[in-house]
Amino acid sequence: GASFERVSVPGALEIPGAIAMASNGQKFFDGYVALGCVIRGETSHYDTVCNESARGLMELSLAGGLAIGNGIITVENESQAWARADIGRKDKGGDAARAALSMAALKEVLCG
């Protein structure tokens, strides 16, 4: 029953920045769902992207008091990505949406 707006960014590292922009904008959002996929490659860039996107979301949640569901999946290959994303299997995007809704409801109870 929730409404939503979808925005796209170039990559997982840009997701926290987009949420920060949205939270400082003219529109009000009860929560945010961060969706993305990072597939391990041949370099250590994977670790940087995974760690820093998660850190950015956590900072927004803690310092900004934002209700965020983290659905950025981190995988070794495309097969794992589909298994985690498929709504009939692990449905990590659905989990992230439910987490954002739950945190938004908790924020309403705790903060009014």
Side-chain angles (χ1 to χ4, degrees):
S3 62
F4 65 93
E5 290 187 35
R6 183 182 324 195
V7 299
S8 296
V9 295
L13 281 176
E14 290 75 28
I15 294 172
I19 291 174
M21 288 178 205
S23 72
N24 291 319
Q26 298 296 318
K27 295 181 180 179
F28 175 77
F29 296 96
D30 291 319
Y32 304 88
V33 181
L35 299 176
C37 179
V38 184
I39 300 176
R40 185 181 300 278
E42 297 176 3
T43 69
S44 61
H45 184 64
Y46 169 87
D47 296 312
T48 300
V49 174
C50 295
N51 293 333
E52 292 302 307
S53 61
R55 184 190 59 77
L57 294 176
M58 186 57 69
E59 278 187 15
L60 290 167
S61 179
L62 295 174
L66 302 181
I68 300 173
N70 185 351
I72 301 174
I73 57 175
T74 56
V75 298
E76 299 294 325
N77 55 54
E78 187 177 351
S79 176
Q80 287 180 353
W82 284 114
R84 286 167 174 75
D86 188 328
I87 62 171
R89 291 158 71 185
K90 295 194 177 198
D91 190 23
K92 293 301 182 179
D95 288 347
R98 287 183 286 278
L101 290 169
S102 177
M103 293 303 288
L106 179 61
K107 183 177 179 178
E108 181 64 28
V109 168
L110 297 176
C111 304

